[in-house]
Amino acid sequence: MKVPLPPRRLIPKWRPVASTLKTTEAKPTLERKPEEFTGNADEFEKAVNLWLDTKEPGVLGDVLSFSVHPELNERAIRIGEEALRIGAQVTQAQKSLIRDIRDEPMIIQSGANFPFQRPIQKLRDILRNTPDNPLALLDYAQFQLAVGKKRASERALMTALSLSPNNRIILRTLARFLVHVKEAEHAHRLIYRHANTLHDPWLMASEIALANAAGTKSRFIMPGRQYLKTRLDINPAHITELAGAIAIEELHSGHMKRARESYMRALFAPNDNVIAQAVTCREEFGLDLHTQTVTQAIQLSSEALTLQAMFDFKPKLMMEHALNWHAEESFSSRPIQLLATTYAYIGDFAIGLQWIQAGLLANPNDPGLLVSLAYIQAQLGKEKESFAAMQKLLNIDAAYSPYCKATTGLIHYSHGRYEIGDSLYESAIIEFNKTNRHAVGTFCLINQVFSAADYNHPEINRIIASAQMAMKEHPSQDALLLLNVRSNKYLLGEQPENKKLRRMTQWFFDPASNTLFEKKGLTAPGAEPLIMLNRT
């Protein structure tokens, strides 16, 4: 079993700084290609000797980057402490690293290819080349958060804010961190109280989205609407998130016409955050995303590509893009959930477990990860560990009881106790349906079918019949993805027909003048992309 991904909001994305600096949120900059982290002891000795000769902070950063190596960690930190003792030039990021790993060593096995290979490479690049620039602390903070060091991450972010208190990238990144650690109200206050929010569309957008996350009223919906109305001269790329955030609020308020108008404006020049939201909400807005601008934006967003592949039931493609998404947001549980469960569905339980354990470093109480952990441990025959994960899940929220019942049913199936397993699965499905989670109930039934097949249930045909009926009445996105990962030999469901969507542009061809022209504006549902004019 897996938990459906939680609702997506337009809260700020926390990308690598090099990626953010390429967007309209900041001035573009050249990105150095990160060198592969090898952990080679000879390289370490060269870096140490060079620092002893030069005492340059860039060289010290190279020495400190080896602190992730289990055999070189202690000596690297001794050199860092020596630099502080003699008053050598040390950047703020390096000071933070020396303090943090002296108190709590950050050691990653050097031979691991995932989940943190690319973040380690990024960390090394940061520490080797950090100027006196507070933005460098953002990447450092992200890696610390990804390996479970929330306090170290927060210290780095607060240091960056103190060095540059009006920098919108730092403000938005700190707000994203606060949402991650379940302090959405704090994140909202940070943005709405800042003086720059009054005239900065990026901060207005963040305030609106964070108010939604905090369950409070936004102060900037009306000012945001006015900004969009009066600032028609502004680059559309600078208002994409503001228009998108307002569109979502209009949608939730039932003002579909205004919601579509705002969202069309958001999609004139969408960034990776807006385009991922557009892929998620495409049916809610009823908009066809097949325009050149939108298609190009999707190709530049790992998250959007992952979600699009998931909605199109292409698991291999989804996993490929999810790996890139994880490399960009290594602290986030969302790509890890998709990766771990898909590995589990194809039978690579050990790899799925490794991803879950990585995700739990940054998100130790994430219900989606714990549900997947219990399921994978059960499949691996580690029943004690599976029950421990389920108990932790129930301590967080008893509403996850049906997931635990389904996993317990799987365990009984594995021992041939089919009647007990049937009872537990049935109870889980009843609970899902009672709480209007009918699609999750269908997904539970599909899981039951495959568990029954894996453990030779004598009445599997009865379970298949129930699943077929459920798929007709309450089709499930997750169930269809699972069927595509494994096998649809049980004829449990087919890809649903696409909903008729409205186009944002339409092309017209005039054969008389041999001209092709584009007309912008919302079309009727299901309109053709190209219209041939019949003129005589």
Side-chain angles (χ1 to χ4, degrees):
M1 286 291 291
K2 69 177 284 292
V3 175
L5 291 180
R8 194 188 187 282
R9 298 184 175 92
L10 266 179
I11 57 176
K13 283 184 77 71
W14 186 354
R15 318 170 190 86
V17 168
S19 297
T20 299
L21 292 176
K22 293 179 180 179
T23 69
T24 49
E25 191 178 344
K27 293 181 180 179
T29 188
L30 295 176
E31 181 184 7
R32 287 183 74 256
K33 183 178 180 181
E35 298 179 26
E36 183 178 359
F37 177 78
T38 63
N40 187 294
D42 291 337
E43 293 179 14
F44 176 66
E45 293 300 332
K46 290 177 183 178
V48 170
N49 292 331
L50 186 58
W51 182 79
L52 291 173
D53 289 340
T54 66
K55 302 297 191 295
E56 292 180 358
V59 181
L60 177 61
D62 197 14
V63 173
L64 293 174
S65 70
F66 285 85
S67 62
V68 297
H69 193 292
E71 296 177 3
L72 304 176
N73 170 269
E74 185 176 345
R75 190 172 171 208
I77 296 309
R78 282 206 308 268
I79 292 170
E81 291 175 335
E82 174 67 9
L84 295 177
R85 188 184 66 78
I86 66 175
Q89 188 177 355
V90 180
T91 70
Q92 187 61 50
Q94 293 164 1
K95 289 179 182 178
S96 296
L97 177 68
I98 294 167
R99 177 184 58 209
D100 292 336
I101 57 183
R102 178 181 55 200
D103 297 338
E104 185 181 357
M106 179 177 61
I107 301 174
I108 306 295
Q109 293 299 323
S110 59
N113 289 325
F114 59 85
F116 295 118
Q117 181 179 4
R118 279 182 277 184
I120 289 172
Q121 294 168 0
K122 180 176 68 178
L123 176 64
R124 188 182 189 198
D125 204 47
I126 295 164
L127 294 172
R128 291 180 64 182
N129 304 284
T130 300
D132 290 328
N133 184 342
L135 292 180
L137 289 164
L138 305 187
D139 281 349
Y140 171 70
Q142 192 195 83
F143 183 78
Q144 291 281 14
L145 183 59
V147 295
K149 297 189 172 183
K150 293 181 181 178
R151 285 183 296 177
S153 179
E154 184 174 14
R155 282 197 299 267
L157 292 172
M158 295 304 296
T159 299
L161 184 64
S162 68
L163 293 171
S164 188
N166 296 314
N167 187 299
R168 74 157 72 107
I169 298 174
I170 294 173
L171 283 165
R172 280 161 53 90
T173 300
L174 178 56
R176 178 65 184 89
F177 167 84
L178 291 169
V179 171
H180 178 87
V181 297
K182 312 302 182 186
E183 294 185 25
E185 292 182 6
H186 185 181
H188 180 235
R189 288 195 303 271
L190 170 74
I191 300 300
Y192 87 72
R193 288 179 177 176
H194 200 280
N196 288 359
T197 307
L198 290 168
H199 52 79
D200 188 324
W202 293 96
L203 296 180
M204 285 187 197
S206 298
E207 190 278 338
I208 294 169
L210 291 166
N212 182 280
T216 189
K217 186 175 180 180
S218 168
R219 275 80 165 169
F220 281 89
I221 291 180
M222 290 302 294
R225 286 185 184 133
Q226 188 65 20
Y227 192 96
L228 293 177
K229 183 177 179 180
T230 59
R231 295 300 304 272
L232 298 177
D233 58 326
I234 197 168
N235 183 341
H238 281 290
I239 59 169
T240 179
E241 286 198 19
L242 178 59
I246 289 176
I248 291 169
E249 292 302 314
E250 300 284 18
L251 179 69
H252 292 163
S253 299
H255 301 130
M256 179 56 75
K257 186 181 181 204
R258 294 204 310 234
R260 286 196 180 116
E261 289 173 353
S262 293
Y263 221 61
M264 286 176 65
R265 194 163 180 192
L267 295 175
F268 284 163
N271 67 355
D272 54 348
N273 198 11
V274 168
I275 204 64
Q277 190 74 24
V279 171
T280 303
C281 299
R282 57 186 175 181
E283 291 202 357
E284 290 181 78
F285 282 97
L287 295 179
D288 189 300
L289 301 180
H290 293 91
T291 67
Q292 183 177 358
T293 300
V294 171
T295 300
Q296 289 175 345
I298 290 174
Q299 294 304 312
L300 296 174
S301 170
S302 296
E303 181 184 359
L305 287 169
T306 303
L307 297 173
Q308 181 172 265
M310 181 178 71
F311 293 140
D312 291 342
F313 315 112
K314 297 178 180 178
K316 290 183 179 179
L317 196 60
M318 183 197 74
M319 293 174 72
E320 177 185 329
H321 294 308
L323 286 168
N324 293 326
W325 181 8
H326 166 72
E328 294 171 4
E329 297 184 89
S330 53
F331 65 94
S332 175
S333 67
R334 294 169 74 93
I336 288 180
Q337 282 189 52
L338 294 175
L339 284 166
T341 53
T342 309
Y343 274 117
Y345 293 156
I346 63 178
D348 287 341
F349 299 115
I351 298 177
L353 179 60
Q354 186 167 357
W355 278 103
I356 290 292
Q357 290 170 336
L360 289 171
L361 290 175
N363 304 273
N365 295 316
D366 184 279
L369 294 176
L370 290 171
V371 167
S372 298
L373 175 64
Y375 172 79
I376 289 174
Q377 296 283 31
Q379 290 283 24
L380 289 170
K382 298 181 178 180
E383 295 176 13
K384 182 179 179 181
E385 292 84 350
S386 179
F387 281 117
M390 286 189 272
Q391 186 58 56
K392 183 175 181 180
L393 185 65
L394 292 173
N395 290 340
I396 294 171
D397 192 339
Y400 291 98
S401 169
Y403 291 98
C404 298
K405 288 182 178 179
T407 299
T408 307
L410 165 67
I411 291 172
H412 282 286
Y413 274 8
S414 70
H415 292 287
R417 298 189 288 264
Y418 302 117
E419 289 187 7
I420 299 175
D422 288 346
S423 176
L424 286 162
Y425 272 114
E426 182 180 353
S427 179
I429 293 163
I430 290 172
E431 283 192 44
F432 284 130
N433 291 337
K434 278 185 177 179
T435 52
N436 293 319
R437 291 178 285 177
H438 298 286
V440 184
T442 298
F443 179 52
C444 184
L445 255 172
I446 302 300
N447 275 270
Q448 184 181 1
V449 168
F450 285 114
S451 297
D454 290 341
Y455 296 107
N456 302 311
H457 195 299
E459 298 182 21
I460 187 172
N461 290 332
R462 171 181 55 80
I463 302 170
I464 291 173
S466 298
Q468 288 173 332
M469 185 178 299
M471 284 296 291
K472 290 178 181 178
E473 295 178 354
H474 300 288
S476 160
Q477 179 80 30
D478 285 322
L480 288 168
L481 181 63
L482 171 58
L483 289 166
N484 278 270
V485 171
R486 291 198 58 168
S487 168
N488 203 1
K489 65 182 180 180
Y490 303 116
L491 302 177
L492 294 167
E494 298 178 358
Q495 185 169 332
E497 293 183 8
N498 291 329
K499 179 182 177 182
K500 289 185 177 181
L501 304 176
R502 297 174 185 265
R503 296 185 179 276
M504 293 177 283
T505 63
Q506 200 169 25
W507 288 89
F508 293 82
F509 179 70
D510 184 355
S513 59
N514 196 32
T515 57
L516 181 70
F517 59 94
E518 183 183 26
K519 182 180 178 182
K520 293 186 177 181
L522 205 60
T523 71
E528 294 295 327
L530 174 65
I531 301 296
M532 300 288 291
L533 298 178
N534 185 16
R535 294 180 179 176
T536 57

